[in-house]
Structure formats: structure tokens, C-alpha cells
Amino acid sequence: MKKIFCFVLFTFLCSLISTLPANAATYDQVLQRWTKSRKIVDEDGANLEIKAIYYSAEYIEALMQKEAQANLWTENEAENYKYNFLGALRLDEMIPIEIEFINNAPTMFLGPFDIMIKLRIGNKLYKPVDYDKRFNFKFQGKKNGLVYFPRYDEKTGKDLLAGVKTVRLEFSPSISPLTNGSETYFLWDVANDDPSKLYQGKTAARFETDRLLKRLEKLRKDKAEHEKQLQGINDEISTVQKRLDELAKQ
């Protein structure tokens, strides 16, 4: 009986261990699918590598699963990581893209960075709403950070990605002398991307709580301002009525 138990246990452990690299490989395939890169090398050996990661729901889920597996996180630890990670990405209102430059060439001057990069959605180009301000400073070597593009139309509130099949990240030809004035761009298929899948269960409840608390704070400020305005109106009414009473006595 003991030998049978040991054999079964050994078989189970071997099967478990054998699945880990497969899972890790699957995660890596997903991560690579959303990671684009281009390396430019001139005749003297100077080179520039540009990498861009589109934070799709699939990419984020694979990244979280890979981190959870590598760090042996509990369910609560994984949930906290997901909550903090999504909060930093601002995925509910922005399209976050991570940019990395490895510049082994002349110094790059990219400031202001928001004129150096655009996101083409459909037939329209969009500037970053926000970005890592370190991109504004000249540099050689490696520099990376997040760039945030609008997810919704500023006037109508419409989802800019609704019905869109692809998005194209475009860099200005002037980012580096190595481009020789040619265009650098990356293309992603986003037709099946659905960030709402990430906002489920406890994570969704925490984000809704955050949203409601912010809404409550705004309503309280609005109430205080309206009460102040109302008090001013009441004071003016009192002043006018007092003067009318004085005039009536004359």
C-alpha cells in the first residue's frame, strides 16, 4: 500500500511539474503577441531598439497568471496585485501602451514627447493624454515608461475602440537620426480585446467602491457649494426685504 501511495504521489508531482513550463510557455506566447519591436542599425554599428507593449486584457491576464505562478501567490495576493496593477494602468479610462527605447546611438531628444507619438484609431490620430515625463529628457541607453491614450471620445463619451479592428502606434520620423526620416510604427489587432473581462468578482467590487467614493466626495463638495450659494441668496433676500420694510414706513 505504501509503495502504491508513493508511486501515485510521484506520478502526480511529475505531472504537475511537467505542466509548469508549458503554462509558462503559453503565457510567454501571449506576452510576445502583444509586444512589438524594431531595431535600427546604421553602417557604423550605432543602433536603436524600440519596443511597444499594448496592454490588452489577454496580455494583462497572462502577465498576472505568470507572476502568480512564479511567486506562488495566494488568491488574496493575486487579487491585490491585479487591483493595484489595473489601477496603475487606468484601463477603465485610458489605452495604456508601454514604450521602451534602447539607444546605442546619438543622444535622443524627445521632449515634448506627446508630439513624437500618436495612436491611429480608425482614420483619426490621437495624442497621449498622459505619459512618463522622463521621456522629455535627453538620453542614451535604456528608457521606458507608460503612455496613456484616450479610450473614450472627449465630447460624446463614445468608446473609441468600438467596432475597430486594428490600432497603429506611430512615431515621428525625427525621434532619431537613425530613422533617416522614415516612419516607425507598430500595429495591433484589437478586434477581440475586451478589458471589461478583467473587472469581475472582488476586483470589480473594489473598483466600483472607489468610483462611488469619488462620486460621493464630489456630491458633498457640490452640496457645500450650493448651500453657500443658497445662503448668499437668502442673505440678499433678507437685505432687500429689510429695505422694502423701511421704505414702507416712510
Side-chain angles (χ1 to χ4, degrees):
M1 179 65 73
K2 185 175 181 181
K3 290 183 178 180
I4 295 175
F5 174 76
C6 290
F7 175 76
V8 172
L9 179 61
F10 175 76
T11 304
F12 171 74
L13 291 174
C14 287
S15 64
L16 179 62
I17 292 171
S18 67
T19 62
L20 293 180
N23 288 339
T26 301
Y27 298 147
D28 287 339
Q29 288 174 5
V30 173
L31 300 181
Q32 286 301 317
R33 185 158 57 245
W34 294 96
T35 303
K36 309 291 184 180
S37 64
R38 180 190 175 191
K39 189 170 185 177
I40 309 166
V41 183
D42 72 5
E43 57 186 11
D44 297 322
N47 60 85
L48 168 65
E49 184 174 2
I50 307 172
K51 183 186 294 184
I53 300 173
Y54 185 95
Y55 278 90
S56 68
E58 183 186 37
Y59 179 92
I60 295 169
E61 188 63 41
L63 182 62
M64 290 188 295
Q65 293 292 338
K66 183 178 180 180
E67 289 294 318
Q69 179 178 292
N71 295 287
L72 302 177
W73 284 337
T74 64
E75 182 180 351
N76 283 338
E77 288 173 330
E79 197 68 40
N80 284 332
Y81 176 83
K82 181 179 181 180
Y83 171 77
N84 292 324
F85 192 66
L86 291 178
L89 289 178
R90 297 150 67 182
L91 201 67
D92 57 333
E93 56 180 345
M94 303 290 181
I95 301 173
I97 298 178
E98 183 177 346
I99 309 295
E100 178 181 280
F101 297 101
I102 302 178
N103 180 33
N104 298 307
T107 300
M108 294 176 70
F109 301 86
L110 301 181
F113 189 63
D114 59 353
I115 68 172
M116 294 291 182
I117 187 171
K118 302 285 189 299
L119 187 66
R120 185 178 294 277
I121 304 175
N123 59 357
K124 291 185 178 181
L125 282 172
Y126 294 89
K127 293 176 59 176
V129 176
D130 195 10
Y131 60 91
D132 191 323
K133 296 305 184 289
R134 292 177 298 172
F135 285 130
N136 287 335
F137 299 96
K138 62 181 181 180
F139 70 95
Q140 286 183 308
K142 180 178 177 179
K143 182 166 289 191
N144 71 305
L146 284 167
V147 180
Y148 300 91
F149 293 95
R151 184 174 291 276
Y152 299 98
D153 184 273
E154 185 178 4
K155 294 181 179 179
T156 66
K158 178 185 175 183
D159 185 347
L160 296 176
L161 296 177
V164 173
K165 293 183 178 180
T166 61
V167 296
R168 173 168 150 156
L169 185 69
E170 302 180 2
F171 291 89
S172 168
S174 62
I175 58 172
S176 170
L178 267 66
T179 65
N180 291 320
S182 64
E183 186 179 40
T184 301
Y185 66 89
F186 300 119
L187 194 70
W188 289 277
D189 181 352
V190 299
N192 297 317
D193 184 33
D194 184 8
S196 66
K197 294 178 180 178
L198 298 168
Y199 295 88
Q200 298 176 355
K202 294 180 181 179
T203 300
R206 292 177 70 176
F207 275 103
E208 185 176 6
T209 299
D210 290 344
R211 181 181 62 80
L212 291 174
L213 286 173
K214 289 179 181 177
R215 177 62 177 162
L216 185 60
E217 182 181 0
K218 183 179 185 303
L219 289 171
R220 285 172 174 166
K221 287 182 179 178
D222 290 345
K223 179 184 177 183
E225 290 177 2
H226 289 318
E227 287 177 343
K228 185 177 180 180
Q229 292 175 358
L230 182 59
Q231 183 61 48
I233 293 173
N234 287 334
D235 289 344
E236 187 173 356
I237 289 174
S238 178
T239 300
V240 172
Q241 187 61 54
K242 182 179 179 180
R243 181 55 181 160
L244 287 172
D245 292 342
E246 290 174 351
L247 291 173
K249 294 177 182 179
Q250 294 181 4

mmCIF file of all heavy atoms in Angstrom, residues 93-119:
data_model
loop_
_atom_site.group_PDB
_atom_site.id
_atom_site.type_symbol
_atom_site.label_atom_id
_atom_site.label_comp_id
_atom_site.label_asym_id
_atom_site.label_seq_id
_atom_site.Cartn_x
_atom_site.Cartn_y
_atom_site.Cartn_z
ATOM 1 N N GLU A 93 -10.307 53.996 -18.267
ATOM 2 C CA GLU A 93 -10.499 55.266 -18.969
ATOM 3 C C GLU A 93 -9.438 55.564 -20.013
ATOM 4 O O GLU A 93 -9.603 56.470 -20.828
ATOM 5 C CB GLU A 93 -10.531 56.420 -17.950
ATOM 6 C CG GLU A 93 -9.301 56.478 -17.073
ATOM 7 C CD GLU A 93 -9.339 57.627 -16.080
ATOM 8 O OE1 GLU A 93 -10.178 58.528 -16.278
ATOM 9 O OE2 GLU A 93 -8.548 57.620 -15.123
ATOM 10 N N MET A 94 -8.340 54.787 -20.010
ATOM 11 C CA MET A 94 -7.225 55.045 -20.918
ATOM 12 C C MET A 94 -6.856 53.791 -21.708
ATOM 13 O O MET A 94 -7.236 52.674 -21.360
ATOM 14 C CB MET A 94 -5.990 55.511 -20.140
ATOM 15 C CG MET A 94 -6.205 56.732 -19.296
ATOM 16 S SD MET A 94 -6.437 58.212 -20.302
ATOM 17 C CE MET A 94 -6.618 59.443 -19.008
ATOM 18 N N ILE A 95 -6.076 53.993 -22.781
ATOM 19 C CA ILE A 95 -5.427 52.909 -23.509
ATOM 20 C C ILE A 95 -3.940 53.004 -23.171
ATOM 21 O O ILE A 95 -3.239 53.873 -23.702
ATOM 22 C CB ILE A 95 -5.633 53.041 -25.029
ATOM 23 C CG1 ILE A 95 -7.119 53.043 -25.366
ATOM 24 C CG2 ILE A 95 -4.904 51.927 -25.763
ATOM 25 C CD1 ILE A 95 -7.414 53.343 -26.829
ATOM 26 N N PRO A 96 -3.447 52.159 -22.277
ATOM 27 C CA PRO A 96 -2.039 52.247 -21.879
ATOM 28 C C PRO A 96 -1.128 51.429 -22.798
ATOM 29 O O PRO A 96 -1.440 50.293 -23.148
ATOM 30 C CB PRO A 96 -2.051 51.653 -20.463
ATOM 31 C CG PRO A 96 -3.188 50.675 -20.487
ATOM 32 C CD PRO A 96 -4.194 51.168 -21.494
ATOM 33 N N ILE A 97 -0.029 52.026 -23.194
ATOM 34 C CA ILE A 97 0.980 51.341 -24.004
ATOM 35 C C ILE A 97 2.341 51.614 -23.370
ATOM 36 O O ILE A 97 2.671 52.770 -23.087
ATOM 37 C CB ILE A 97 0.967 51.828 -25.466
ATOM 38 C CG1 ILE A 97 -0.393 51.523 -26.113
ATOM 39 C CG2 ILE A 97 2.088 51.178 -26.259
ATOM 40 C CD1 ILE A 97 -0.515 52.021 -27.547
ATOM 41 N N GLU A 98 3.102 50.561 -23.137
ATOM 42 C CA GLU A 98 4.438 50.738 -22.567
ATOM 43 C C GLU A 98 5.445 50.882 -23.707
ATOM 44 O O GLU A 98 5.450 50.090 -24.647
ATOM 45 C CB GLU A 98 4.823 49.549 -21.689
ATOM 46 C CG GLU A 98 6.180 49.729 -21.019
ATOM 47 C CD GLU A 98 6.547 48.587 -20.092
ATOM 48 O OE1 GLU A 98 5.650 47.779 -19.751
ATOM 49 O OE2 GLU A 98 7.733 48.503 -19.708
ATOM 50 N N ILE A 99 6.286 51.889 -23.605
ATOM 51 C CA ILE A 99 7.309 52.166 -24.617
ATOM 52 C C ILE A 99 8.682 51.968 -23.997
ATOM 53 O O ILE A 99 8.934 52.401 -22.871
ATOM 54 C CB ILE A 99 7.210 53.604 -25.157
ATOM 55 C CG1 ILE A 99 5.776 53.917 -25.608
ATOM 56 C CG2 ILE A 99 8.201 53.824 -26.287
ATOM 57 C CD1 ILE A 99 5.301 53.108 -26.766
ATOM 58 N N GLU A 100 9.564 51.325 -24.747
ATOM 59 C CA GLU A 100 10.951 51.172 -24.288
ATOM 60 C C GLU A 100 11.901 51.513 -25.428
ATOM 61 O O GLU A 100 11.715 51.060 -26.557
ATOM 62 C CB GLU A 100 11.211 49.742 -23.812
ATOM 63 C CG GLU A 100 12.654 49.512 -23.365
ATOM 64 C CD GLU A 100 12.908 48.079 -22.923
ATOM 65 O OE1 GLU A 100 12.555 47.760 -21.776
ATOM 66 O OE2 GLU A 100 13.437 47.284 -23.726
ATOM 67 N N PHE A 101 12.881 52.348 -25.125
ATOM 68 C CA PHE A 101 13.958 52.664 -26.066
ATOM 69 C C PHE A 101 15.273 52.111 -25.514
ATOM 70 O O PHE A 101 15.556 52.269 -24.325
ATOM 71 C CB PHE A 101 14.114 54.179 -26.252
ATOM 72 C CG PHE A 101 12.917 54.860 -26.839
ATOM 73 C CD1 PHE A 101 12.035 55.559 -26.030
ATOM 74 C CD2 PHE A 101 12.679 54.827 -28.211
ATOM 75 C CE1 PHE A 101 10.938 56.212 -26.559
ATOM 76 C CE2 PHE A 101 11.576 55.472 -28.746
ATOM 77 C CZ PHE A 101 10.698 56.165 -27.919
ATOM 78 N N ILE A 102 16.043 51.480 -26.363
ATOM 79 C CA ILE A 102 17.428 51.130 -26.028
ATOM 80 C C ILE A 102 18.286 51.828 -27.071
ATOM 81 O O ILE A 102 18.410 51.375 -28.215
ATOM 82 C CB ILE A 102 17.668 49.612 -26.032
ATOM 83 C CG1 ILE A 102 16.718 48.930 -25.042
ATOM 84 C CG2 ILE A 102 19.121 49.300 -25.667
ATOM 85 C CD1 ILE A 102 16.846 47.419 -25.005
ATOM 86 N N ASN A 103 18.847 52.958 -26.674
ATOM 87 C CA ASN A 103 19.518 53.852 -27.608
ATOM 88 C C ASN A 103 21.032 53.745 -27.494
ATOM 89 O O ASN A 103 21.646 54.324 -26.601
ATOM 90 C CB ASN A 103 19.072 55.297 -27.345
ATOM 91 C CG ASN A 103 19.751 56.273 -28.285
ATOM 92 O OD1 ASN A 103 20.028 55.935 -29.440
ATOM 93 N ND2 ASN A 103 20.013 57.477 -27.804
ATOM 94 N N ASN A 104 21.627 52.994 -28.403
ATOM 95 C CA ASN A 104 23.085 52.913 -28.502
ATOM 96 C C ASN A 104 23.533 53.694 -29.736
ATOM 97 O O ASN A 104 24.173 53.181 -30.647
ATOM 98 C CB ASN A 104 23.528 51.446 -28.605
ATOM 99 C CG ASN A 104 23.131 50.646 -27.376
ATOM 100 O OD1 ASN A 104 23.439 51.032 -26.254
ATOM 101 N ND2 ASN A 104 22.446 49.532 -27.584
ATOM 102 N N ALA A 105 23.134 54.945 -29.737
ATOM 103 C CA ALA A 105 23.345 55.834 -30.877
ATOM 104 C C ALA A 105 23.425 57.257 -30.336
ATOM 105 O O ALA A 105 23.497 57.458 -29.119
ATOM 106 C CB ALA A 105 22.195 55.666 -31.863
ATOM 107 N N PRO A 106 23.423 58.272 -31.219
ATOM 108 C CA PRO A 106 23.437 59.656 -30.729
ATOM 109 C C PRO A 106 22.314 59.933 -29.736
ATOM 110 O O PRO A 106 21.262 59.304 -29.768
ATOM 111 C CB PRO A 106 23.268 60.473 -32.007
ATOM 112 C CG PRO A 106 23.848 59.621 -33.077
ATOM 113 C CD PRO A 106 23.516 58.217 -32.687
ATOM 114 N N THR A 107 22.542 60.897 -28.853
ATOM 115 C CA THR A 107 21.568 61.264 -27.823
ATOM 116 C C THR A 107 20.209 61.586 -28.448
ATOM 117 O O THR A 107 20.126 62.264 -29.474
ATOM 118 C CB THR A 107 22.068 62.488 -27.034
ATOM 119 O OG1 THR A 107 23.316 62.151 -26.423
ATOM 120 C CG2 THR A 107 21.072 62.885 -25.959
ATOM 121 N N MET A 108 19.162 61.082 -27.814
ATOM 122 C CA MET A 108 17.805 61.335 -28.296
ATOM 123 C C MET A 108 17.175 62.480 -27.508
ATOM 124 O O MET A 108 17.303 62.539 -26.282
ATOM 125 C CB MET A 108 16.952 60.071 -28.158
ATOM 126 C CG MET A 108 17.398 58.924 -29.055
ATOM 127 S SD MET A 108 16.445 57.395 -28.810
ATOM 128 C CE MET A 108 14.859 57.868 -29.514
ATOM 129 N N PHE A 109 16.505 63.381 -28.214
ATOM 130 C CA PHE A 109 15.773 64.496 -27.607
ATOM 131 C C PHE A 109 14.289 64.341 -27.996
ATOM 132 O O PHE A 109 13.927 64.654 -29.123
ATOM 133 C CB PHE A 109 16.314 65.838 -28.111
ATOM 134 C CG PHE A 109 17.776 66.063 -27.827
ATOM 135 C CD1 PHE A 109 18.752 65.592 -28.690
ATOM 136 C CD2 PHE A 109 18.188 66.750 -26.685
ATOM 137 C CE1 PHE A 109 20.100 65.800 -28.439
ATOM 138 C CE2 PHE A 109 19.531 66.960 -26.430
ATOM 139 C CZ PHE A 109 20.487 66.485 -27.306
ATOM 140 N N LEU A 110 13.488 63.881 -27.094
ATOM 141 C CA LEU A 110 12.107 63.548 -27.421
ATOM 142 C C LEU A 110 11.076 64.488 -26.802
ATOM 143 O O LEU A 110 9.875 64.270 -26.953
ATOM 144 C CB LEU A 110 11.793 62.105 -26.991
ATOM 145 C CG LEU A 110 12.658 61.018 -27.625
ATOM 146 C CD1 LEU A 110 12.219 59.650 -27.128
ATOM 147 C CD2 LEU A 110 12.613 61.080 -29.143
ATOM 148 N N GLY A 111 11.540 65.506 -26.079
ATOM 149 C CA GLY A 111 10.584 66.395 -25.431
ATOM 150 C C GLY A 111 10.128 67.523 -26.347
ATOM 151 O O GLY A 111 10.927 68.058 -27.119
ATOM 152 N N PRO A 112 8.852 67.931 -26.278
ATOM 153 C CA PRO A 112 7.791 67.249 -25.531
ATOM 154 C C PRO A 112 7.372 65.965 -26.234
ATOM 155 O O PRO A 112 7.112 65.964 -27.443
ATOM 156 C CB PRO A 112 6.660 68.276 -25.500
ATOM 157 C CG PRO A 112 6.883 69.106 -26.735
ATOM 158 C CD PRO A 112 8.355 69.153 -26.941
ATOM 159 N N PHE A 113 7.284 64.895 -25.485
ATOM 160 C CA PHE A 113 7.109 63.566 -26.055
ATOM 161 C C PHE A 113 5.750 63.395 -26.733
ATOM 162 O O PHE A 113 5.603 62.570 -27.636
ATOM 163 C CB PHE A 113 7.279 62.513 -24.951
ATOM 164 C CG PHE A 113 7.331 61.102 -25.463
ATOM 165 C CD1 PHE A 113 8.349 60.691 -26.314
ATOM 166 C CD2 PHE A 113 6.363 60.183 -25.091
ATOM 167 C CE1 PHE A 113 8.402 59.392 -26.796
ATOM 168 C CE2 PHE A 113 6.409 58.876 -25.563
ATOM 169 C CZ PHE A 113 7.436 58.483 -26.416
ATOM 170 N N ASP A 114 4.759 64.174 -26.324
ATOM 171 C CA ASP A 114 3.420 63.981 -26.887
ATOM 172 C C ASP A 114 3.310 64.421 -28.345
ATOM 173 O O ASP A 114 2.294 64.147 -28.996
ATOM 174 C CB ASP A 114 2.353 64.668 -26.044
ATOM 175 C CG ASP A 114 2.564 66.158 -25.906
ATOM 176 O OD1 ASP A 114 3.614 66.652 -26.362
ATOM 177 O OD2 ASP A 114 1.695 66.835 -25.348
ATOM 178 N N ILE A 115 4.341 65.086 -28.874
ATOM 179 C CA ILE A 115 4.319 65.406 -30.303
ATOM 180 C C ILE A 115 5.138 64.385 -31.099
ATOM 181 O O ILE A 115 5.193 64.451 -32.330
ATOM 182 C CB ILE A 115 4.848 66.827 -30.583
ATOM 183 C CG1 ILE A 115 6.344 66.923 -30.274
ATOM 184 C CG2 ILE A 115 4.064 67.865 -29.811
ATOM 185 C CD1 ILE A 115 6.969 68.234 -30.720
ATOM 186 N N MET A 116 5.774 63.459 -30.402
ATOM 187 C CA MET A 116 6.600 62.442 -31.047
ATOM 188 C C MET A 116 5.863 61.131 -31.282
ATOM 189 O O MET A 116 6.379 60.235 -31.955
ATOM 190 C CB MET A 116 7.847 62.163 -30.194
ATOM 191 C CG MET A 116 8.811 63.304 -30.094
ATOM 192 S SD MET A 116 9.612 63.596 -31.690
ATOM 193 C CE MET A 116 10.740 64.932 -31.275
ATOM 194 N N ILE A 117 4.687 60.998 -30.706
ATOM 195 C CA ILE A 117 3.995 59.715 -30.761
ATOM 196 C C ILE A 117 2.489 59.940 -30.877
ATOM 197 O O ILE A 117 1.943 60.857 -30.264
ATOM 198 C CB ILE A 117 4.340 58.880 -29.494
ATOM 199 C CG1 ILE A 117 3.783 57.467 -29.600
ATOM 200 C CG2 ILE A 117 3.872 59.567 -28.232
ATOM 201 C CD1 ILE A 117 4.283 56.555 -28.498
ATOM 202 N N LYS A 118 1.847 59.125 -31.692
ATOM 203 C CA LYS A 118 0.395 59.218 -31.893
ATOM 204 C C LYS A 118 -0.165 57.798 -31.978
ATOM 205 O O LYS A 118 0.542 56.857 -32.337
ATOM 206 C CB LYS A 118 0.061 59.974 -33.178
ATOM 207 C CG LYS A 118 0.620 61.391 -33.249
ATOM 208 C CD LYS A 118 -0.154 62.338 -32.378
ATOM 209 C CE LYS A 118 0.267 63.780 -32.624
ATOM 210 N NZ LYS A 118 1.676 64.048 -32.343
ATOM 211 N N LEU A 119 -1.460 57.679 -31.690
ATOM 212 C CA LEU A 119 -2.153 56.408 -31.856
ATOM 213 C C LEU A 119 -3.249 56.598 -32.900
ATOM 214 O O LEU A 119 -4.129 57.442 -32.741
ATOM 215 C CB LEU A 119 -2.761 55.932 -30.536
ATOM 216 C CG LEU A 119 -3.369 54.520 -30.561
ATOM 217 C CD1 LEU A 119 -2.276 53.476 -30.780
ATOM 218 C CD2 LEU A 119 -4.123 54.232 -29.263
#
